[in-house]
Amino acid sequence: MGWAISQRLNLDAGIQRSEFKDIDNNQTSNNTNYTLGINSILIPEKLNFKVNYNLNLSGGDDDSPNREVINSELEYVFIKARSNRPGLSLSVRGALEDKYDSPDPTQNEDNYQIFTVLRVTAPIDHSF
């Protein structure tokens, strides 16, 4: 579900529930996933920012750890895509993943990642 707070700010949120039953082993596992995201145009047609938060709560017989993931991206647009001309942007993207509450301590860990992304975009013509 998403909300346009303004022309330059969007908020997204969601909840998902899943349950899996393994009839052969008589086990049940379930997950509840919460998401929250913010997309912002900091400088129109030049600088964009995104941040997303995801919380996955596990339960049942399989002892999976709970998981939190935060990722974000800051994108600078060098050339905006236009008709018959591709666009070019550079992004810095990062993520933090935290696994916790597992009975197996080796599964409780933090992971960090950072990337740079060179993105080429092309517009799609809807007039045909």
Side-chain angles (χ1 to χ4, degrees):
M1 177 177 341
W3 298 275
I5 306 299
S6 70
Q7 288 183 341
R8 295 171 54 174
L9 183 65
N10 291 314
L11 179 66
D12 299 307
I15 299 173
Q16 180 181 4
R17 171 86 175 149
S18 59
E19 187 169 309
F20 301 95
K21 293 183 180 183
D22 184 344
I23 297 171
D24 293 336
N25 295 321
N26 196 27
Q27 290 188 336
T28 301
S29 64
N30 55 64
N31 289 300
T32 306
N33 194 31
Y34 301 94
T35 59
L36 179 64
I38 298 171
N39 298 325
S40 177
I41 299 171
L42 301 176
I43 301 172
E45 299 186 14
K46 279 294 173 193
L47 192 61
N48 304 311
F49 177 70
K50 300 174 187 175
V51 64
N52 295 297
Y53 174 75
N54 183 298
L55 174 62
N56 189 321
L57 301 174
S58 299
D61 300 319
D62 68 351
D63 294 331
S64 294
N66 294 329
R67 224 175 73 153
E68 285 182 287
V69 178
I70 299 172
N71 58 52
S72 63
E73 178 177 288
L74 183 64
E75 175 187 35
Y76 183 79
V77 179
F78 291 104
I79 302 169
K80 184 176 190 248
R82 302 201 190 282
S83 182
N84 296 323
R85 188 182 78 184
L88 183 65
S89 65
L90 181 66
S91 299
V92 176
R93 183 184 295 171
L96 162 64
E97 179 183 31
D98 181 21
K99 294 180 184 176
Y100 60 94
D101 283 347
S102 174
D104 179 2
T106 62
Q107 290 188 2
N108 296 328
E109 62 183 5
D110 293 339
N111 295 305
Y112 306 92
Q113 297 177 331
I114 191 162
F115 303 97
T116 55
V117 179
L118 182 62
R119 184 176 291 135
V120 177
T121 55
I124 298 174
D125 187 2
H126 298 283
S127 64
F128 58 100

